[in-house]
């Protein structure tokens, strides 16, 4: 998840960094109102609101201008009633839970309610942050939005601005099956639920133990996972055995749309049809017309001191975590740079599951807390959000190698 609302994430009192926020938000005398789109409100209610009401908290209604205009105050979600905006403003005990997932919409709503006296992290809370603090402080449950698992550095493409730095890996390798199983055991021993478990490379379908690994994860921890997804670039067809596994383990195939970038290699429509014909869910990942240029390793940004890097970290608000060798890395690109041998590993940048820790400490890390208040990688990375990074590059532009190495990856996998 992206944390938009807690800006000072420099660790000061591990295990208690969020006590103040919890104290403000979890008073039983508060009158809670949800604001956001209808779908966002429903998502929050199903994730957190239903438990919230069972605990005796006063969840009085929800408001959003679009729902208000379209439904005239009717109860369209059948969960909590729609209320007039003026009712919230007039309620002296009102606390807002803002479920907007996009930063601009969140900021617009925050600023609008600030004009009426609502204070961020006292009477106005980001919904995703609210859910996680409520889970840990009241329910003793830790649920993480997204965790990525690195399967292989083997790929059919050599994208110049790959977010995982695949072209720069000094050694092509597969993560061992034993390591992946061990990581799954450690991860799910300590985490109660993961909404999205994303399996990536490189090219996910090139991992030789894909079936054995996913079968193991699903059989042992399927009830703790919302969705398992395999990332592919749409250049090769998975074996039928892989599709049979995906069907029985309820796996979704995420296909990146590179038809414009590599039209001679991308088989998106054919791969999509092949998967659907075999009963496997598919999700096409639209890349847009440009990628963000992360800068690293050959076009690093320049920052003036720690404060600027901390502000950059908050603007980026990286949403995807990476789990490897018993460690949860805050930033997947940070992990990839380390794995590729391009950047030094740092204890500041990951949460070590091999040590004793509390759920409150893990929650703090998920929200961005660390010794520095940012990752060390932030100092060399342009950032993974439009707020942090204005530089754009072509999608999936291929590196041209000279001599005998030219198109080696395309040649190697063309017959798969």
């Amino acid at each position: 998840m992206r944390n938009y609302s807690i800006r000072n994430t420099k660790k000061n009192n591990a295990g208690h960094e969020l006590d103040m926020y919890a104290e403000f938000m979890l008073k039983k005398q508060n009158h809670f109102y949800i604001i956001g789109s209808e779908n966002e409100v429903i998502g929050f209610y199903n994730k957190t609101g239903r438990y919230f009401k069972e605990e005796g908290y006063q969840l009085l209604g929800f408001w959003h201008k679009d729902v208000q205009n379209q439904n005239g105050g009717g109860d369209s979600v059948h969960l909590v009633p729609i209320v007039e905006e003026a009712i919230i403003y007039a309620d002296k005990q009102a606390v807002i839970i803002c479920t907007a997932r996009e930063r601009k919409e969140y900021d617009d709503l925050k600023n609008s309610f600030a004009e009426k006296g609502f204070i961020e992290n006292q009477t106005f809370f980001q919904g995703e942050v609210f859910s996680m603090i409520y889970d840990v402080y009241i329910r003793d449950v830790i649920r993480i939005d997204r965790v990525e698992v690195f399967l292989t550095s083997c790929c059919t493409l050599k994208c110049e601005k790959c977010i995982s730095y695949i072209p720069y890996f000094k050694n092509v390798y597969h993560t061992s099956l034993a390591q992946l199983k061990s990581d799954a055991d450690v991860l799910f021993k300590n985490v109660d639920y993961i909404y999205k478990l994303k399996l990536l490379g490189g090219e996910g379908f090139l991992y030789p133990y894909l079936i054995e690994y996913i079968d193991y994860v699903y059989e042992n921890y399927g009830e703790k996972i919302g969705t398992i997804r395999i990332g592919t670039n749409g250049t090769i067809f998975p074996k039928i055995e892989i599709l049979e596994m995906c069907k029985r383990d309820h796996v979704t195939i995420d296909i990146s749309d590179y038809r414009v970038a590599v039209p001679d290699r991308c088989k998106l429509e054919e791969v999509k049809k092949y998967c659907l014909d075999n009963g496997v869910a598919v999700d096409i990942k639209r890349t847009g017309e440009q990628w963000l240029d992360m800068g690293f390793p050959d076009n690093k940004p320049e920052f003036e001191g720690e404060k600027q890097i901390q502000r950059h970290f908050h603007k980026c608000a990286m949403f995807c975590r990476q789990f490897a060798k018993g460690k949860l890395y805050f930033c997947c690109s940070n992990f990839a740079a380390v794995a590729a041998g391009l950047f030094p590993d740092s204890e500041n940048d990951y949460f070590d599951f091999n040590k004793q820790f509390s759920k409150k400490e893990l929650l703090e890390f998920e929200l961005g807390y660390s010794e520095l208040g940012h990752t060390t990688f932030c100092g060399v990375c342009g950032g993974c959000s439009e707020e942090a990074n204005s530089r754009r590059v072509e999608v999936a532009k291929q590196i041209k190698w000279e001599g005998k190495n030219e198109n080696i990856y395309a040649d190697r996998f063309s017959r798969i």
Side-chain angles (χ1 to χ4, degrees), residues 88-101:
I88 302 176
Y89 293 151
D91 188 344
K92 301 303 181 182
Q93 294 174 266
V95 171
I96 304 299
I97 303 170
C98 179
T99 60
R101 296 182 70 89

Side-chain angles (χ1 to χ4, degrees), residues 64-79:
H64 191 267
K65 60 182 183 299
D66 295 332
V67 176
Q68 187 78 11
N69 292 339
Q70 293 173 12
N71 298 285
D75 185 3
S76 61
V77 294
H78 307 293
L79 302 172

Side-chain angles (χ1 to χ4, degrees), residues 1-6 18 21 25-26 33-36 39-45 47-49 96-107 120-121 124-137 139 141-146 195-196 316-321 362-364 366-368:
M1 62 157 287
R2 293 189 187 273
N3 166 25
Y4 302 143
S5 56
I6 300 176
L18 302 169
Y21 303 104
M25 72 169 57
L26 299 175
Y33 298 90
I34 313 173
I35 61 172
N39 286 336
E40 289 166 345
V41 170
I42 291 173
F44 176 85
Y45 186 89
K47 179 179 179 180
T48 300
I96 304 299
I97 303 170
C98 179
T99 60
R101 296 182 70 89
E102 297 298 324
R103 185 195 289 268
K104 184 180 185 307
E105 185 180 3
Y106 170 82
D107 283 342
E120 188 177 42
N121 294 324
F124 187 98
F125 293 94
Q126 182 187 349
E128 291 180 280
V129 173
F130 188 102
S131 287
M132 293 201 72
I133 292 177
Y134 171 76
D135 273 352
V136 171
Y137 276 75
R139 300 182 61 225
V141 169
I142 183 81
R143 296 185 287 182
I144 295 178
D145 185 56
R146 173 175 172 141
Y195 289 92
K196 181 185 292 187
C316 177
M318 173 56 81
F319 62 92
C320 61
R321 312 291 173 255
L362 178 55
L363 168 61
E364 290 162 4
E366 170 64 13
L367 295 182

Side-chain angles (χ1 to χ4, degrees), residues 69-243:
N69 292 339
Q70 293 173 12
N71 298 285
D75 185 3
S76 61
V77 294
H78 307 293
L79 302 172
V80 290
I82 296 174
V83 298
E84 297 284 344
E85 185 179 4
I87 291 176
I88 302 176
Y89 293 151
D91 188 344
K92 301 303 181 182
Q93 294 174 266
V95 171
I96 304 299
I97 303 170
C98 179
T99 60
R101 296 182 70 89
E102 297 298 324
R103 185 195 289 268
K104 184 180 185 307
E105 185 180 3
Y106 170 82
D107 283 342
D108 287 346
L109 287 166
K110 177 194 68 177
N111 294 335
S112 175
F113 277 84
E115 293 176 358
K116 301 296 183 178
F118 288 86
I119 302 171
E120 188 177 42
N121 294 324
Q122 292 186 28
T123 53
F124 187 98
F125 293 94
Q126 182 187 349
E128 291 180 280
V129 173
F130 188 102
S131 287
M132 293 201 72
I133 292 177
Y134 171 76
D135 273 352
V136 171
Y137 276 75
I138 299 299
R139 300 182 61 225
D140 192 34
V141 169
I142 183 81
R143 296 185 287 182
I144 295 178
D145 185 56
R146 173 175 172 141
V147 173
E148 296 188 356
V149 174
F150 186 78
L151 302 175
T152 179
S153 65
C154 206
C155 194
T156 57
L157 298 178
K158 301 288 278 186
C159 301
E160 182 179 354
K161 292 297 181 177
C162 175
I163 196 172
S164 296
Y165 306 109
I166 294 302
Y168 301 95
F169 272 71
K170 294 178 173 58
N171 298 300
V172 176
Y173 74 92
H174 301 304
T175 305
S176 73
L177 179 59
Q179 181 66 65
L180 290 183
K181 286 183 175 181
S182 174
D183 280 345
D185 293 339
V186 172
L187 177 62
F188 288 105
K189 177 183 177 182
N190 293 284
V191 174
D192 296 290
Y193 198 82
I194 294 172
Y195 289 92
K196 181 185 292 187
L197 186 68
K198 185 75 176 277
L199 313 181
L200 294 166
E203 167 54 49
F205 286 145
L206 295 181
Y207 185 61
Y209 311 111
L210 189 63
I211 295 173
E212 295 92 329
Y213 171 58
I214 297 180
D215 275 344
Y216 179 82
V217 170
Y218 185 78
E219 289 170 6
N220 289 280
Y221 307 109
E223 75 284 353
K224 290 188 168 188
I225 304 170
T227 177
I228 301 173
R229 292 172 176 261
I230 302 170
T232 178
N233 58 31
T235 63
I236 58 177
F237 291 86
K239 297 177 181 178
I240 190 63
E241 294 85 359
I242 291 178
L243 294 184

Side-chain angles (χ1 to χ4, degrees), residues 218 226-229 245-252:
Y218 185 78
T227 177
I228 301 173
R229 292 172 176 261
M245 174 275 296
C246 289
K247 188 174 180 180
R248 68 174 173 265
D249 294 345
H250 304 284
V251 176
T252 297

